[in-house]
Amino acid sequence: MANTVAGGLMGLVQLGRARLAMALPRHRRLLRSTKDRQLDDLFEAYARASTALDTLMRELPRPEIEIVQYHQRCLDLQAEVVTLLAQHQSVSGEPKV
């Protein structure tokens, strides 16, 4: 059972990283190369929020209030990820994107 749970969480991390790479194309290289537990948590949260947003967008009638809330959550998570990536860049000395 532990492997299933761990595999599911890793799948969410990978899904969130991939979705963020699509949403933040200027940061793709850093999204792929930066390894950090805090980033993994944000990737997982983004996977959950963006998947929920996709599901809500397909519902009829459309739950507009929830769509706005999840869309904002996705934007907030994107901002958090960009901030954390910038912190990693300044620590590692990598060139700014």
Side-chain angles (χ1 to χ4, degrees):
M1 185 68 140
N3 288 338
T4 304
V5 171
L9 291 179
M10 182 52 73
L12 285 174
V13 169
Q14 292 171 341
L15 177 62
R17 185 187 305 264
R19 284 178 171 247
L20 280 161
M22 297 286 288
L24 304 169
R26 293 183 58 209
H27 301 281
R28 283 182 184 155
R29 182 181 53 79
L30 284 173
L31 285 166
R32 289 184 186 125
S33 65
T34 306
K35 307 297 182 211
D36 178 271
R37 181 64 202 152
Q38 191 175 1
L39 267 176
D40 287 350
D41 291 343
L42 291 173
F43 295 157
E44 181 181 338
Y46 191 81
R48 291 179 191 279
S50 62
T51 301
L53 178 59
D54 288 348
T55 300
L56 291 169
M57 296 287 286
R58 289 190 296 270
E59 287 185 11
L60 292 176
R62 288 178 58 155
E64 296 299 332
I65 293 172
E66 289 87 356
I67 288 171
V68 169
Q69 290 171 338
Y70 274 93
H71 179 71
Q72 186 59 53
R73 178 68 177 139
C74 288
L75 293 175
D76 292 345
L77 287 165
Q78 288 175 18
E80 286 184 62
V81 167
V82 169
T83 299
L84 195 55
L85 289 173
Q87 290 172 359
H88 277 275
Q89 272 187 306
S90 65
V91 168
S92 70
E94 290 186 35
K96 299 274 183 207
V97 176

